[in-house]
Amino acid sequence: MSTVTPPRAAAPTRVEPRRRSALDWRIRFGVLSLIWGFSFLLIKVGTEGYAPFQVTFGRLLFGTAVLAAAMAVKRERLPRGARTWGHLAVAAFLLNALPFSLFAYSELTIPSTLAGICNATSPLWGMALSLVALSEDRPTRVRVAGLGLGFLGVLTVLGVWQGFHGLDATGTVMALLASLSYPVGWIYIRRTLAGTGGSHLSMTGAQLLLATAQLALVTPLFTTLPSHFAVVPLLAIVALGALGTGLAMLIQYGIVAEVGPTTAQMVTYFIPVIATAAGVAILGESLAWSTPVGAVIVLAGAALTQAKPRR
């Protein structure tokens, strides 16, 4: 979720030739939207049987296994150099370990629909941070307007005129912080790993491997081994890792390589729609009028923040 490189962020790896798949990129784009949209439902189901850190660890473990298999098939090697691995460890924390854990904890107290909508605020956070951290990202009236419109949408989703009545503040803040973590991670990558020479697949595989190691250290400290293994939540975690993390990253990688990051990032705008539909239809989560209306405003603002300035 929200792992697409922002269009103005330099790729952290070497530029690879665009390639075409036997399956049209539009179909793969739709599959990616569905996978990431349903990820919030899978998180909710997983936390019904296991602790949030256990859900995150399982997600990373199965996701890493998929990427490791892909690297073995393509005979890709892990990146080299202590400096590269050090920066990847920070990126793994900011882009995987931290946001995945925050989303898992947030869904203990908030519906998956709200978590999916909070995820859509990531481009807004990215725009705000890039204006401060990246000198080449010049503010324009359109982008600033999009930023204001997007956060107005957030307030609409939260029902600010009702004093946030009925919302769990802690869970909502966790979901928003998870969305903030993504652009922080991408800015860090842009500043430290641009032009390192590794392939996208090897760098991402190493990043997930490090995130899995981080959760392997943290999880035993804050959780205990379950007395029994609930089957449905376990299957949800397997699907979340293998599909929502591993396979999704491979699909995303192929789309970016074929049509570029700008088009690939459009998947961000479909995720909250699918997450909301899945949460309401399958989990029976309630939906106030302010939630879809606010989501539309958030997506409109996010789209404006990605508008390219006229030359």
PDB file of all heavy atoms in Angstrom, residues 49-51 54 223-230:
ATOM      1  N   GLY A  49      -7.444 -12.659  15.111  1.00  0.00           N
ATOM      2  CA  GLY A  49      -6.888 -13.880  15.677  1.00  0.00           C
ATOM      3  C   GLY A  49      -5.474 -13.745  16.194  1.00  0.00           C
ATOM      4  O   GLY A  49      -4.998 -14.614  16.942  1.00  0.00           O
ATOM      5  N   TYR A  50      -4.797 -12.663  15.805  1.00  0.00           N
ATOM      6  CA  TYR A  50      -3.389 -12.512  16.167  1.00  0.00           C
ATOM      7  C   TYR A  50      -3.092 -11.061  16.528  1.00  0.00           C
ATOM      8  O   TYR A  50      -3.807 -10.142  16.128  1.00  0.00           O
ATOM      9  CB  TYR A  50      -2.485 -12.957  15.008  1.00  0.00           C
ATOM     10  CG  TYR A  50      -2.707 -14.396  14.619  1.00  0.00           C
ATOM     11  CD1 TYR A  50      -3.610 -14.730  13.611  1.00  0.00           C
ATOM     12  CD2 TYR A  50      -2.044 -15.421  15.281  1.00  0.00           C
ATOM     13  CE1 TYR A  50      -3.842 -16.050  13.263  1.00  0.00           C
ATOM     14  CE2 TYR A  50      -2.263 -16.753  14.941  1.00  0.00           C
ATOM     15  CZ  TYR A  50      -3.166 -17.066  13.933  1.00  0.00           C
ATOM     16  OH  TYR A  50      -3.396 -18.370  13.607  1.00  0.00           O
ATOM     17  N   ALA A  51      -2.018 -10.866  17.291  1.00  0.00           N
ATOM     18  CA  ALA A  51      -1.605  -9.531  17.702  1.00  0.00           C
ATOM     19  C   ALA A  51      -1.119  -8.741  16.480  1.00  0.00           C
ATOM     20  O   ALA A  51      -0.639  -9.330  15.511  1.00  0.00           O
ATOM     21  CB  ALA A  51      -0.499  -9.621  18.750  1.00  0.00           C
ATOM     22  N   GLN A  54       2.259  -9.575  15.231  1.00  0.00           N
ATOM     23  CA  GLN A  54       2.290 -10.885  14.594  1.00  0.00           C
ATOM     24  C   GLN A  54       1.721 -10.817  13.177  1.00  0.00           C
ATOM     25  O   GLN A  54       2.241 -11.471  12.259  1.00  0.00           O
ATOM     26  CB  GLN A  54       1.507 -11.886  15.443  1.00  0.00           C
ATOM     27  CG  GLN A  54       2.157 -12.180  16.786  1.00  0.00           C
ATOM     28  CD  GLN A  54       1.266 -12.990  17.708  1.00  0.00           C
ATOM     29  OE1 GLN A  54       0.051 -13.055  17.530  1.00  0.00           O
ATOM     30  NE2 GLN A  54       1.871 -13.603  18.728  1.00  0.00           N
ATOM     31  N   THR A 223       4.647  -9.662  22.269  1.00  0.00           N
ATOM     32  CA  THR A 223       3.560 -10.626  22.090  1.00  0.00           C
ATOM     33  C   THR A 223       3.982 -11.979  22.649  1.00  0.00           C
ATOM     34  O   THR A 223       5.164 -12.222  22.906  1.00  0.00           O
ATOM     35  CB  THR A 223       3.202 -10.796  20.593  1.00  0.00           C
ATOM     36  OG1 THR A 223       4.327 -11.367  19.888  1.00  0.00           O
ATOM     37  CG2 THR A 223       2.840  -9.467  19.957  1.00  0.00           C
ATOM     38  N   THR A 224       3.007 -12.835  22.831  1.00  0.00           N
ATOM     39  CA  THR A 224       3.267 -14.213  23.245  1.00  0.00           C
ATOM     40  C   THR A 224       2.761 -15.156  22.160  1.00  0.00           C
ATOM     41  O   THR A 224       1.860 -14.808  21.387  1.00  0.00           O
ATOM     42  CB  THR A 224       2.559 -14.526  24.567  1.00  0.00           C
ATOM     43  OG1 THR A 224       1.144 -14.275  24.419  1.00  0.00           O
ATOM     44  CG2 THR A 224       3.108 -13.664  25.688  1.00  0.00           C
ATOM     45  N   LEU A 225       3.332 -16.314  22.103  1.00  0.00           N
ATOM     46  CA  LEU A 225       2.934 -17.291  21.095  1.00  0.00           C
ATOM     47  C   LEU A 225       1.475 -17.689  21.312  1.00  0.00           C
ATOM     48  O   LEU A 225       1.076 -18.000  22.436  1.00  0.00           O
ATOM     49  CB  LEU A 225       3.822 -18.534  21.188  1.00  0.00           C
ATOM     50  CG  LEU A 225       3.749 -19.511  20.014  1.00  0.00           C
ATOM     51  CD1 LEU A 225       4.308 -18.853  18.754  1.00  0.00           C
ATOM     52  CD2 LEU A 225       4.513 -20.788  20.341  1.00  0.00           C
ATOM     53  N   PRO A 226       0.640 -17.647  20.262  1.00  0.00           N
ATOM     54  CA  PRO A 226      -0.784 -17.990  20.427  1.00  0.00           C
ATOM     55  C   PRO A 226      -0.953 -19.417  20.933  1.00  0.00           C
ATOM     56  O   PRO A 226      -0.202 -20.325  20.570  1.00  0.00           O
ATOM     57  CB  PRO A 226      -1.345 -17.835  18.999  1.00  0.00           C
ATOM     58  CG  PRO A 226      -0.370 -16.965  18.283  1.00  0.00           C
ATOM     59  CD  PRO A 226       0.960 -17.259  18.877  1.00  0.00           C
ATOM     60  N   SER A 227      -1.969 -19.609  21.787  1.00  0.00           N
ATOM     61  CA  SER A 227      -2.253 -20.954  22.311  1.00  0.00           C
ATOM     62  C   SER A 227      -2.847 -21.850  21.229  1.00  0.00           C
ATOM     63  O   SER A 227      -2.711 -23.066  21.267  1.00  0.00           O
ATOM     64  CB  SER A 227      -3.224 -20.863  23.493  1.00  0.00           C
ATOM     65  OG  SER A 227      -4.425 -20.199  23.095  1.00  0.00           O
ATOM     66  N   HIS A 228      -3.524 -21.248  20.264  1.00  0.00           N
ATOM     67  CA  HIS A 228      -4.022 -21.984  19.103  1.00  0.00           C
ATOM     68  C   HIS A 228      -3.953 -21.063  17.893  1.00  0.00           C
ATOM     69  O   HIS A 228      -3.962 -19.843  18.025  1.00  0.00           O
ATOM     70  CB  HIS A 228      -5.458 -22.468  19.327  1.00  0.00           C
ATOM     71  CG  HIS A 228      -6.464 -21.362  19.334  1.00  0.00           C
ATOM     72  ND1 HIS A 228      -6.630 -20.517  20.421  1.00  0.00           N
ATOM     73  CD2 HIS A 228      -7.343 -20.937  18.375  1.00  0.00           C
ATOM     74  CE1 HIS A 228      -7.589 -19.637  20.141  1.00  0.00           C
ATOM     75  NE2 HIS A 228      -8.024 -19.859  18.918  1.00  0.00           N
ATOM     76  N   PHE A 229      -3.870 -21.656  16.723  1.00  0.00           N
ATOM     77  CA  PHE A 229      -3.718 -20.876  15.499  1.00  0.00           C
ATOM     78  C   PHE A 229      -5.056 -20.831  14.760  1.00  0.00           C
ATOM     79  O   PHE A 229      -5.503 -21.833  14.188  1.00  0.00           O
ATOM     80  CB  PHE A 229      -2.633 -21.483  14.612  1.00  0.00           C
ATOM     81  CG  PHE A 229      -1.249 -21.347  15.187  1.00  0.00           C
ATOM     82  CD1 PHE A 229      -0.739 -22.332  16.036  1.00  0.00           C
ATOM     83  CD2 PHE A 229      -0.472 -20.236  14.915  1.00  0.00           C
ATOM     84  CE1 PHE A 229       0.529 -22.207  16.587  1.00  0.00           C
ATOM     85  CE2 PHE A 229       0.798 -20.099  15.461  1.00  0.00           C
ATOM     86  CZ  PHE A 229       1.297 -21.090  16.298  1.00  0.00           C
ATOM     87  N   ALA A 230      -5.692 -19.653  14.808  1.00  0.00           N
ATOM     88  CA  ALA A 230      -6.962 -19.464  14.110  1.00  0.00           C
ATOM     89  C   ALA A 230      -6.726 -19.538  12.606  1.00  0.00           C
ATOM     90  O   ALA A 230      -5.861 -18.843  12.064  1.00  0.00           O
ATOM     91  CB  ALA A 230      -7.571 -18.118  14.499  1.00  0.00           C
TER      92      ALA A 230
END
